[in-house]
Each structure stands twice: as C-alpha cells, then as structure tokens.
Amino acid sequence: MNPSPGPDLDGLTLREKVELGSGADFWSTKAIGGVPSLVLTDGPHGVRRQTGPSDHLGIAESRPATCFPPAVGLAQSWDPDLVERVGTALGREARALGVDVLLGPGVNIKRDPRGGRNFEYYSEDPHLTGALAGAWVSGIQSTGVGASLKHLAANNAEHDRMRSSSNIDPRTLREIYLRAFQKVVRTSAPWTVMCSYNRINGVYASENHWLLTTVLRHEWGFDGVVVSDWGAVQDRAAAVAAGLDLVMPGDGGASDAALAAEVENDAGQIQNVHTAAVRVAALAEKARRAPGGETAYDVETHHALAREAAARCVVLLKNDDRTLPLSPGGSLAVIGAFAQTPRYQGGGSSHVNPTRVDVPLEEIRALAGSGTVSFAPGFCIDGEQDPTALREEAVATAAAAETAVLFLGLDARQESEGFDRTDIELPAEQLDLLAAVARVQPRVVVVLSHGGVLRLAPVADLAPAVVDGALLGQAAGGAIADVLFGRVNPSGRLGETVPVRLQDTPAYLSFPGENSQVYYGEGLHVGYRWYDAREMEVTFPFGHGLSYTDFTYSGLELSQGPEGITARVTVTNTGDRAGREVVQFYVAKPDSAVTRPSRELKGFTSLTLDPGRSRQVQVLLPREDLAYWEVRGDRWVVEDGEYRVWAGASSRDLRATATVVVEGDRLRLPLTLDSTLGEVMADPRAAELLAKHFAVPEAADGSEETMGIDMARMMASIPLRRLVSFGQGDLASIEALIAHLNQEE
Ligand code: BGC
C-alpha cells in the first residue's frame, strides 16, 4: 500500500532519509530538508508536555494540563459522544502546548486484573474498547492533532514487558487482542500506531512484519506512521524491514549512522527506508496543515468538562434501602485519607500535572447545605501513623453522624505502569476500618478509588452503598460529590468483571508468565466470557451499574440486513427521577461449528428518560462483528444460521431476548488427504460421491446403526488417506476423488 502523499523527498540522501526515521530528542522528530519537526508526547488522559528534563516514567516536571479521567474511568461512561468531546478538548490542549501527536489511546485488553497498567486501558472487552477508543481518536484528530493507537499488540502485563513473548493462538489474537486495534484503525484512521515492547509468538512487535505490515497495513488499510514504543527497538534494520517508520526516542544519531551503513547496498532496505521517510514526512505535513488559530484553551471550561465526564463515569455498584442519594442538611462523617488527598490518576508515562485538583471533602462540604460534615482520615496513605488510633478516631466520628462516607482505595505506590500487582486486595487496614465503622454505623457509603479491579466481596458484605470511582481525573472530588447528593444520577457501568476472588480469574495460573514466556491458555475466554462459560458467581458483573431510578425493557425486535443485525428495544423509566440507561446487546451463536463464548457484547447505546417515559432504541450489530476468525482459511467468517441476541443492563442482567437468522459467508475449505470422513460427509453432495466410491459397512438390518452405535459418528475421525489401511481403495483413486470434489462448486 502506498503511503499518503507528502513532501517530495527526492533531494534527500539515504542518510537523511534514515535520520527522518528516528527522534531528534526525547519527544520530537528531526527537521530535515523541507520536512518540519514534530512533537509527540503522552497522553492519553492529559497532555504531559515536558519542556525541561524528559522521561517516559512520569517523573520529571511537565506543563500543567487538564487531567481527564484515565481510560479505566472513562470507559465506565459507556459513552462514545462524551469520550469524543474529551478527545477534542485534549486536542485543543495539545495544540496550545505545541504537541502534534498525543500518545494514546491505549487499547490493550485487560487480560488479568493484576496488570499494572490496566488503569490506562479501557476494558476486558474488545467491542467496548474499540468503540470508545475510536471516539477518542476522532475527537482529538478533529483538532488537527494526531493520535497514537497503542500498544500494538498483546502488551497485557508489565512484568518483563520489554522481553516477554505473549504466546497466543490465532483466533484469540484476532478476536480478542487485535480486534479493538482493527476497529479503531478502520473507523477512525489514527495518524500513528505505536508498537509494543513485547514479543508476539516469539517475534518482537517492533520487528514483526506480519503484524506491522501484513495485518496493519495490508489487511486493515493503515496508511499512517508506525512509531516504536519508547525504547522498543533493539534491531533497527529488522524493524525497518518489518514496517516500522519511526524509532523513539532519539539516540543522538547513533542508530542512524549504523543503519545507513548497514543498508547502503541493499536495494530492498533502501526502499523500506525511503517508504518510512515518506510516511514520516506525510505525517509532519498533516500536522503542519492543521487548522491554525486557537493557541490557548480555557482552563475552567476544560475543568468543567472533566467534572461532567468524571460524574458520568461513576458506577453505583450497590444501593440497598436507597441509602443514596444523600439529602443535604443531615450530619455526615467523611472518613478516609483519600477524601482529603484524592487518588485520581495512575503512575508512569501517562502522569499529568493537573491544572487543579478538586478535593472530595471540600466538594462534599460545598453541597451539604446546612448539614454538618465531620472528617477523620481513618488510615494514612504513607503508613506512618498509628493505625489503631486513626481507626478509633474514625469510628467515633462515624458513630456521631447520621451517615458515614468512607473513601477507600489503592494508593499510587500500589499500582503503576512498570509493574503488576500480586493481589487484588484493598489494604487490610482499610478493610478493618470499614468493619469497625460498620459496627457502629449502619448507613455506610463506600467510595472507591483504584486503577485495577479490587476484590469487593468484603466491602459489598458490609456497606449498604458502594460507589466505584475507579480513577476519575482531577475533577473526581466534585464529580463524586455530585453523585452522592444526587445532582448527577449515576449511569456509569463496569468495563471489567469484579470476581469473587483472584483464584477465579481466567489467567490466574498463567499470569504474568515466566522465563519471558506467557501462554494465553484461557484463549477467547477473557473477562466475562470466562465467568459466563463456567457459570461462575461474580461479585459485580461486566456492564453492571445502578441508577437512582429504575428501567424496564420490552419488545426486543431483530432484523437482518447486509450491514448486520438491527436490534430495537423499548426502555421505560419506571422510577421517580430522570436518568440515563446504558442498553447493552450481547450475541451468541448457539450451534456454532467452533468454540464460542456463551455471549459477547456486540453493541450498546444509552438514552436519558424522564420518569414514566418510554423510548425505543435502535442499534446496529455490525455483520463483521458477528464473524469468528477461521484459522483454516486465515479469514473472518460469519456463520450461517440462527443468532441469539439479548438486550440487558449488564452481562448478567439480561432483560429481553430474541433470535434472528443470518445468511452466512460461504466457507469451502479444500479437501486434502488429511481431511476426515466427517469433514467430507458434512457436505451432502461430497458424502454422496464418497459413498459411491467406497463400501460403507452396513448393519445386518440395513440401518445406519450397529449395536446401537452410530456408524457415521464412529468413523468420522478417519482421515481419507487412512481408508487405504482399511482396504478401501488406493491412494491414487482417493486423490482423484479429492481433486474431483475440490473442483465441484
Ligand atoms: C510507554 C508508552 C509511552 C512512552 C513515552 C513508554 O514507556 O509504554 O505508553 O507513550 O513510554 O512516554
């Protein structure tokens, strides 16, 4: 595929073209000939623009920028329109800070809740991930700033991330780990894609021709720049040959000199260097042509958007006896160090220097009206104070109030880019605090802040109300206060299952691998696909989230067309306040010829309804999303026949179901000597021909059964070539028959 047109590079020497393919410094590319320099920087949930010392670990200073909810929080909105608005705001800030490409979104699938970087990724589900990340890319790129879809591919653990090999079977790779990348490339055309550090089935992503060229460019049609993750290239010549265009960060020119010398007599590599340089030049040209004008953004407007977004991302996990919303005017005990020092983003390269930070305690006080709000830290984040004294003070504070709101969660040191967690527990000290408070105060609301999934069974057992904030960005405090007091009716939904215990999780025994090898043995059954297939209890299912009102679903209708399945369902707000409902559509192929998850998310939408009102929603479940990856033909196949669709409020709260017949793709795999009798018999015409050629043993009574045994099933696994061993013809006649059958249409 030809790259997009860019400046003419004919006047450049080989060395200059090589130089275009690597950074000038940590964050920018080189200006060479007529090609201007570009600035690429993190990302994704805020602009990390370093103008002094630079690093990829979020350590050195960066210019202030709005810290929007990180992907873990943003995903809980299930709202592509909102995500697109956030992307647009990020684009404006990037432009104001002189950034051409923002390094995001991260669309790796959360294979295991221990993954250290799960806070920077959207979901355990590729459909949700692809839909939201695509909206993010469209938003940012609408401002003339490029996105960098990362990390391609299968970077699902931090442990040993620069060496380890993610060993994944082809179907799982395609259907789970590449699907969101494919969707975003096709729907939103990101300007750049970032390859990951790790290897995929033994080959480094940066040197993986199959991944970077065959799949990304030839199959998906990507025509932008493939940039390396920072420091992901160890053999630049191999990377150039694989289709990598830009090595970051710059190394002072050392690898330019080496590469130019290495390729000077290799026509193929000279062409690869040229192609990469053309792509980098085209990217620079795109950035140069970005609409001019706005060089500043309004900090307050963006903070307000951050608050609106954060509030939409809050998930109400539990609300017994309508403990929430709180009424202003009562007496409230706010407990927990995170109420004063909020945890709102993750550590590492995505770390943003916020323009300001809302403090939950202050925001609660601002909305509490004439009520009293007392505070006790309950525990200390750095572990330097006596936990017993802190707990006793908190218990007394909680006992004296009408309601206690406990801010619990993980501290920045407990989860970050660069390492994985070893458990999914809240600190024991916090669970002890909750138990002690619950003994004196029945009205307990727990507010959670964390980047990775937590074991919540003990929290759900003790607290009548649980609010999940995940990580919500700099306006978390205000957003949580809005939800607690009902100024915002919560509508967020989980992007990940909350398992009963770590031991239940799909990759429990194979995460994070050893000796730099990770075997993805659970295959397709990641996240809810695993718990559903095994019919396991979970604490909170994928897609779960409550509202202060209630909704019912009725009249699910399905129709099939060339674009896919159109699903319509009517939703009614049966409660007493306006609210937003996220309607999820799960699909199964009950009699599939291949292993399939019990059901998979294939579409979702949301609507806001006043009390007593109903509306029908309509969603297209795209035909391509119904397909499975057929390993024998190396292609996507939509199976023929009946599909079951559910409309639901979570993967476990399925409210309406119906079936529809879909006309599938024609899949005709050529027969070989190793094809089995069963495979031949599956095609009635082939079966007839085969029967004519070979004697099929008959039961004495002429039926197809002998001694109650189905002969066809018994013989189904015999490969055609083995018929010779049973005295059924010779190889030549079998080969002739195969040739004949393969010619038949
Ligand atoms: C991370 C990337 C990031 C880059 C630049 C790497 O360590 O994996 O996500 O964009 O650093 O900071």
Side-chain angles (χ1 to χ4, degrees), residues 26-27 42 48 55-56 103 117 120 150-151 161 194 197 229-230 349 417:
F26 214 84
W27 300 120
D42 293 305
R48 187 169 69 99
D55 67 277
H56 66 299
L103 303 175
R117 219 170 169 182
E120 228 184 297
K150 67 189 188 182
H151 308 89
R161 67 175 167 160
M194 185 191 291
Y197 286 127
D229 198 345
W230 267 231
S349 62
E417 176 179 348

Side-chain angles (χ1 to χ4, degrees), residues 56-58 116-117 120-121 150-151 153-166 194-200 204-205 229-232 347-350 416-420 512 516 518:
H56 66 299
L57 298 171
R117 219 170 169 182
E120 228 184 297
Y121 301 138
K150 67 189 188 182
H151 308 89
N155 183 179
N156 311 103
E158 290 301 281
H159 172 78
D160 206 12
R161 67 175 167 160
M162 289 195 156
R163 291 186 310 186
S164 85
S165 176
S166 300
M194 185 191 291
C195 78
S196 57
Y197 286 127
N198 53 291
R199 289 176 286 159
I200 297 106
Y204 278 106
D229 198 345
W230 267 231
S349 62
S350 67
S416 166
E417 176 179 348
F419 63 89
D420 299 311
S516 302
V518 194

Side-chain angles (χ1 to χ4, degrees), residues 428-440:
E429 180 197 349
Q430 293 186 31
L431 289 176
D432 291 348
L433 171 70
L434 170 61
V437 166
R439 275 196 288 275
V440 299

Side-chain angles (χ1 to χ4, degrees), residues 152-153 195-200 203-209 211-212 226 232 242 244:
L152 186 72
C195 78
S196 57
Y197 286 127
N198 53 291
R199 289 176 286 159
I200 297 106
V203 183
Y204 278 106
S206 62
E207 299 172 14
N208 202 315
H209 185 272
L211 184 67
L212 303 186
V226 177
L244 187 112

Side-chain angles (χ1 to χ4, degrees), residues 40 43 113 116 132 194 216 228 260 319 326 334 362 369 405 411 445 481 552 633 655 668 670 686 697 728:
L40 307 90
L132 297 178
M194 185 191 291
L216 178 63
S228 73
N319 193 22
L326 303 171
V334 174
E362 288 170 10
V405 180
D411 151 35
V445 178
T552 57
R655 305 275 181 90
R668 195 152 191 276
Q728 297 282 331

